[in-house]
Amino acid sequence: MLNGKIVIGIITARASESEQRDMLSGVLAQAKKLDIYPVVISNLFNFSEYYADVDIENKIYELIESERLDGIIYMEELVLESKLRSSLLNRIRKLDIPVVVTGESGGEFPSINTDVRKDFQDITRHLTEVHGFTEIDVLTGHKEAETAHLRVEGVRDVMLEKGLPFSDDNVIFGEFWFTDGEKLAEEYLSGRRRIPQALVCTNDYMAYGLIDTFFSRDFKLPDRMTVIGYEYIGDRFSHVPILSTYYRNRSAIGAKAVSILNHLITGAEIEDIPLDGYMVTGDTCPCGSNIEHLKKELYSVRSANYYRNLNFCNNFEQQLTVCRSLEDYIHVLQEFAYLIRDIKGIYLCLYENWYSRKEKFSLEICSNDEIMAMYRVISPIESSSEPQFFKRGSLFPDIIPGMGDKRFLYLVPMFSAGIEIGHFIFQYTEPDGYDTLIIEWINAAVNALTVLRMKNDINELLECNNLSVFHDSATGLYNKDGFFHELSASISNADNDDVVCAVMIRPRIFSGENRIDEKSTSVKLDSETAECMKRTAVNNSAFCARLPDKQFVFTAVGKLPANYHNTIADKLTVLITHSPVYRSVREIDDMIAVGITMPAPDLLPEDLVSALNSEAVKKTAELLKMRQNAGFKEFGKVRNAMYRSPEKRWSAEEECKSLHISCGHFRAAYKNIFGVSFHQDLIQSRIALAKYLLLTTSLSIPAIAAKCGYDDDKYFLRQFRQITGISPNSYRRGL
């Protein structure tokens, strides 16, 4: 509680999006009606896949464990990334306060949702009764998603009720995204799919993709086909013709969730709030556009454009960049607060040690006892600008300068380069929220604070100045200059009969790094590869380097066996491909390891690297030829899965079923692509895992055999010796 009032936390994701804002409008309005303080906790980006560069933003959700909160509303369906959804559910389960979920909660918590099946019954009745359509297709989402099927069943109910034809041929599954509509439009235009009288898209994104494609190809709607969307997410003015859609009553869902939560906290009666939606007609339907809805949307578009122009025509970032102190920084934020639509309060909450935090790539839970400082940027009421200190778990101080009595609060993370700096609190005095333009404002503010950190962090600057000119700062290995220096020194001290053994590792040869998560993942992979190199080098009196173009080189000088480079290449391959990050995100054939042995006397470092590169080019060409095979993609998935989990019961008979081919064809194609039979490759995958466990653990031989899928450890010993030529114990000892 706060000042005797109930405080509820609302967990959502990317609160700037139209769907989230729609549901939050109902939450905030009902909270105002019941005199409750709502605190919205949201990340900024809400990607549907994991992106390492911004995963740190999700630490903001640790704040839901605050003792200040009397209840939680979790907008589960609005959190797109599956791991984040799972993490939030696990965190919520530990709370000893009431929780209400919007969407499907699987029965764990009270939940509130619209009846999507009924919504699609309403849509279908509109099409069949108002327009007399008898041929209707449905474009829906993932096959495994229950809601995708519920939406289809709503259409099917009415079609069967009216005796109209409707079968699985009328249903097209997708991923609830623009590209599904684009793809389906091409199928209609090319004649691969017959054109129905009407198409129901089970969300607006898919409908937009479809009508955009039709518009570009001069396909007239609704003359040749009627299109109906669902959810009314906004942005209709960006697409031609104006989409007819169905308003899913998210605002009512939000209001009802607050009423249920208030009942669980206080025992008050749950208010009867209807959840029914309604048609919002546009020009993709014969009904034509509803002028009242168009007026509201036009006002919204004009307002957004006004603020977009404000954000474009200013020198906010430049002013932030020249700040020399936190006081200067806050003054600039105050000056440019007008760029955020209808904002009434901005409060900057920083960790007390914000200027020296070094948690890069660290996602461990921070202590809610950590001290933070709140700085008032702007507020509804003029007040002191002195910082207020509070414990992180309190969300904010008991008395917030200038905030007044009207509190609709949004907590948004501040992070940069894997470091959590703190969070902003944005305040509205009426039920309202920010839009997507705020992301640019926050990014500019965070980037400037990062620059300010660097200006003031003398220790970090000194550390950068002291980096050795011979070492790669990211991995600690030698860089090119350091490698050439060390190799030249070793060669000059070598005897006439000494040799140089070198192994080059080229990871990620077929992986692009353009996506936001790939760059961060590549840093982790480089670090992981470097650790494997260091470990091998220490055990073999060698040294390692990271050269340009993703080249890692292991080098040893001395009286070494002729095939020593093959032994080292094998060990490095085993260690790297079985290391946690590589194994989770990379394919088995996305790395090469090549080695050579050359006489030490008079060897030039440039010649050694050139020889390694020549071998690497040959190996890469071999892998590229393999990957160009027509069946590589499908068979590669099978092979990667097998190498990641060789302990499972794999059989060619089962795998050929998933590919819908005969067993004979599967075996022949597999060997043709990979140059080894499926059965022999399975053995090699198990032996590779065994090698990794022998090199990295002290597990007994029977235990390793079991982990690699062997029921009989004697059979394992026999196969290991057949593959390697030595016993597991000898391999472990390096003999």
Side-chain angles (χ1 to χ4, degrees):
M1 294 226 175
L2 182 63
N3 300 331
K5 292 186 179 181
I6 292 172
V7 180
I8 62 172
I10 299 96
I11 306 170
T12 187
R14 196 169 183 178
S16 59
E17 290 297 296
S18 59
E19 297 98 317
Q20 285 85 323
R21 292 179 63 203
D22 192 17
M23 193 174 294
L24 286 168
S25 69
V27 169
L28 301 183
Q30 187 70 10
K32 179 182 180 181
K33 181 178 180 179
L34 298 175
D35 201 21
I36 289 172
Y37 281 152
V39 178
V40 181
I41 301 173
S42 173
N43 61 16
L44 279 174
F45 294 104
N46 192 31
F47 292 118
S48 59
E49 300 177 6
Y50 173 81
Y51 285 82
D53 277 5
V54 299
D55 193 36
I56 193 75
E57 72 164 344
N58 294 323
K59 289 170 73 69
I60 192 75
Y61 294 118
E62 293 169 8
L63 298 179
I64 67 178
E65 298 176 5
S66 171
E67 294 181 359
R68 193 182 289 279
L69 298 179
D70 300 299
I72 290 286
I73 293 174
Y74 174 33
M75 298 179 175
E76 181 179 20
E77 65 175 311
L78 302 178
V79 180
L80 300 182
E81 205 263 304
S82 58
K83 289 183 180 178
L84 178 57
R85 281 202 306 272
S86 177
S87 170
L88 287 173
L89 276 175
N90 289 334
R91 195 179 295 280
I92 290 170
R93 290 186 183 108
K94 300 175 184 177
L95 302 178
D96 191 24
I97 55 175
V99 175
V100 174
V101 176
T102 64
E104 302 298 328
S105 68
E108 287 186 78
F109 307 103
S111 62
I112 177 69
N113 201 2
T114 54
D115 187 344
V116 294
R117 186 166 185 164
K118 180 182 178 300
D119 289 348
F120 280 86
Q121 291 171 354
D122 291 346
I123 292 171
T124 312
R125 287 197 172 92
H126 176 85
L127 292 172
T128 56
E129 296 175 4
V130 176
H131 300 299
F133 293 143
T134 58
E135 299 175 5
I136 300 174
D137 281 356
V138 182
L139 174 59
T140 190
H142 309 276
K143 272 189 177 181
E144 62 273 16
E146 181 183 2
T147 187
H149 291 277
L150 283 174
R151 299 174 192 211
V152 173
E153 292 310 308
V155 177
R156 192 189 306 273
D157 291 341
V158 175
M159 297 296 282
L160 295 180
E161 171 190 303
K162 295 181 177 297
L164 298 174
F166 189 83
S167 69
D168 290 345
D169 292 337
N170 297 100
V171 180
I172 304 97
F173 288 96
E175 297 181 354
F176 285 127
W177 201 234
F178 293 96
T179 49
D180 303 320
E182 294 166 359
K183 180 181 177 182
L184 180 57
E186 292 294 344
E187 290 185 15
Y188 286 138
L189 291 166
S190 67
R192 295 196 303 274
R193 180 179 289 274
R194 61 153 186 80
I195 298 175
Q197 293 172 312
L199 171 71
V200 177
C201 297
T202 60
N203 75 6
D204 286 352
Y205 294 113
M206 296 189 293
Y208 287 151
L210 180 117
I211 65 176
D212 288 349
T213 303
F214 279 163
F215 180 73
S216 69
R217 304 281 287 277
D218 202 28
F219 183 95
K220 302 297 184 183
L221 297 175
D223 296 349
R224 298 183 63 184
M225 183 171 72
T226 287
V227 177
I228 307 292
Y230 180 68
E231 292 186 304
Y232 189 45
I233 64 171
D235 201 32
R236 292 200 301 164
F237 273 87
S238 299
H239 309 273
V240 179
I242 298 292
L243 177 67
S244 291
T245 187
Y246 188 92
Y247 174 61
R248 181 187 178 197
N249 206 338
R250 292 181 184 273
S251 179
I253 294 175
K256 190 76 173 252
V258 175
S259 185
I260 295 172
L261 187 61
N262 185 52
H263 164 75
L264 296 174
I265 296 171
T266 67
E269 186 176 345
I270 299 174
E271 186 175 343
D272 183 18
I273 301 174
L275 302 180
D276 295 338
Y278 52 85
M279 287 291 300
V280 179
T281 57
D283 297 328
T284 61
C285 167
C287 293
S289 294
N290 180 296
I291 192 66
E292 293 304 317
H293 276 109
L294 287 184
K295 286 180 180 178
K296 292 178 182 177
E297 292 176 47
L298 183 58
Y299 173 79
S300 177
V301 169
R302 286 176 175 172
S303 175
N305 285 337
Y306 172 77
Y307 277 93
R308 188 172 291 110
N309 290 333
L310 286 180
N311 277 267
F312 181 73
C313 302
N314 65 78
N315 62 344
F316 180 39
E317 290 188 60
Q318 294 91 326
Q319 290 292 321
L320 283 173
T321 303
V322 299
C323 293
R324 294 180 175 273
S325 67
L326 192 58
E327 290 75 19
D328 292 345
Y329 174 79
I330 291 173
H331 178 74
V332 175
L333 295 185
Q334 291 170 339
E335 184 180 351
F336 289 93
Y338 72 89
L339 296 176
I340 305 175
R341 181 183 58 80
D342 298 335
I343 196 72
K344 295 298 187 291
I346 302 175
Y347 306 87
L348 175 66
C349 300
L350 298 175
Y351 285 101
E352 194 177 24
N353 62 340
W354 67 272
Y355 51 85
S356 60
R357 291 176 72 82
K358 303 182 186 300
E359 296 182 66
K360 193 169 185 179
F361 305 122
S362 173
L363 297 179
E364 290 82 9
I365 294 176
C366 293
S367 168
N368 273 341
D369 290 330
E370 285 197 70
I371 300 300
M372 303 192 77
M374 171 186 280
Y375 301 86
R376 186 183 70 88
V377 179
I378 64 169
S379 60
I381 304 170
E382 279 301 317
S383 186
S384 169
S385 294
E386 290 297 312
Q388 305 291 309
F389 295 92
F390 64 101
K391 288 186 178 180
R392 179 175 184 259
S394 298
L395 302 181
F396 37 74
D398 292 334
I399 299 176
I400 305 176
M403 184 169 281
D405 197 39
K406 296 180 179 179
R407 304 182 180 187
F408 299 95
L409 307 182
Y410 289 77
L411 273 60
V412 182
M414 299 178 67
F415 61 96
S416 175
I419 302 171
E420 186 192 22
I421 303 171
H423 58 266
F424 274 116
I425 298 179
F426 296 107
Q427 180 194 6
Y428 295 83
T429 55
E430 292 296 328
D432 199 357
Y434 51 80
D435 54 30
T436 54
L437 287 175
I438 202 172
I439 295 177
E440 295 180 15
W441 193 94
I442 293 172
N443 283 340
V446 170
N447 290 339
L449 202 59
T450 302
V451 172
L452 194 58
R453 288 178 73 245
M454 295 180 65
K455 290 178 181 177
N456 289 277
D457 194 347
I458 298 173
N459 290 331
E460 184 174 341
L461 292 174
L462 289 174
E463 180 182 340
C464 291
N465 289 333
N466 290 331
L467 286 175
S468 169
V469 295
F470 283 154
H471 286 83
D472 174 59
S473 59
T475 62
L477 302 178
Y478 283 121
N479 58 22
K480 182 179 178 181
D481 290 339
F483 173 66
F484 279 20
H485 179 272
E486 182 67 20
L487 181 57
S488 297
S490 298
I491 290 172
S492 66
N493 294 322
D495 294 334
N496 288 334
D497 57 347
D498 283 348
V499 296
V500 176
C501 165
V503 174
M504 177 180 284
I505 301 294
R506 293 282 304 271
R508 312 189 309 281
I509 53 176
F510 298 110
S511 299
E513 295 173 1
N514 294 321
R515 283 173 32 174
I516 191 169
D517 62 329
E518 285 287 354
K519 296 184 184 299
S520 181
T521 302
S522 71
V523 172
K524 293 182 182 181
L525 284 167
D526 284 350
S527 178
E528 202 170 61
T529 301
E531 290 305 312
C532 295
M533 301 285 286
K534 291 174 187 176
R535 177 180 187 144
T536 308
V538 168
N539 293 337
N540 293 274
S541 302
F543 56 92
C544 298
R546 183 193 186 208
L547 306 183
D549 299 324
K550 300 185 291 190
Q551 297 174 340
F552 291 82
V553 179
F554 167 101
T555 310
V557 180
K559 295 173 176 58
L560 305 170
N563 65 342
Y564 189 63
H565 60 270
N566 291 329
T567 301
I568 296 299
D570 176 71
K571 286 186 176 181
L572 286 172
T573 300
V574 165
L575 288 171
I576 294 169
T577 57
H578 287 79
S579 51
V581 178
Y582 194 100
R583 190 174 181 183
S584 64
V585 301
R586 289 292 180 254
E587 300 175 0
I588 191 67
D589 294 312
D590 196 28
M591 186 193 88
I592 60 170
V594 295
I596 56 173
T597 297
M598 303 178 73
D602 302 322
L603 178 64
L604 296 175
E606 296 89 341
D607 292 340
L608 178 68
V609 173
S610 177
L612 285 170
N613 277 324
S614 295
E615 294 298 316
V617 169
K618 294 177 186 176
K619 185 69 173 179
T620 303
E622 293 174 7
L623 289 181
L624 184 60
K625 183 178 179 181
M626 177 183 74
R627 296 172 72 92
Q628 290 172 339
N629 190 293
F632 175 81
K633 186 175 181 180
E634 291 75 17
F635 283 80
K637 289 179 181 178
V638 174
R639 191 174 192 232
N640 282 314
M642 184 171 70
Y643 268 82
R644 284 172 179 160
S645 303
E647 73 282 357
K648 293 183 179 179
R649 300 297 179 188
W650 295 90
S651 72
E653 289 75 12
E654 289 298 319
E655 297 309 314
C656 69
K657 291 178 183 178
S658 66
L659 296 176
H660 307 292
I661 58 177
S662 69
C663 194
H665 178 55
F666 174 84
R667 292 181 186 277
Y670 193 98
K671 187 168 184 178
N672 180 56
I673 295 171
F674 301 114
V676 62
S677 70
F678 177 80
H679 178 69
Q680 192 62 31
D681 210 14
L682 173 60
I683 295 173
Q684 291 182 6
S685 70
R686 289 176 171 173
I687 298 304
L689 176 59
K691 290 177 180 178
Y692 177 75
L693 295 173
L694 288 165
L695 292 172
T696 60
T697 73
S698 58
L699 290 173
S700 67
I701 302 303
I704 289 176
K707 282 185 171 292
C708 296
Y710 289 91
D711 297 326
D712 183 350
D713 56 296
K714 291 181 180 178
Y715 183 53
F716 162 71
L717 289 170
R718 186 162 63 252
Q719 282 200 337
F720 190 94
R721 186 178 288 277
Q722 287 174 349
I723 296 291
T724 66
I726 58 177
S727 69
N729 280 325
S730 295
Y731 186 88
R732 175 175 267 166
R733 292 194 300 269
L735 301 178

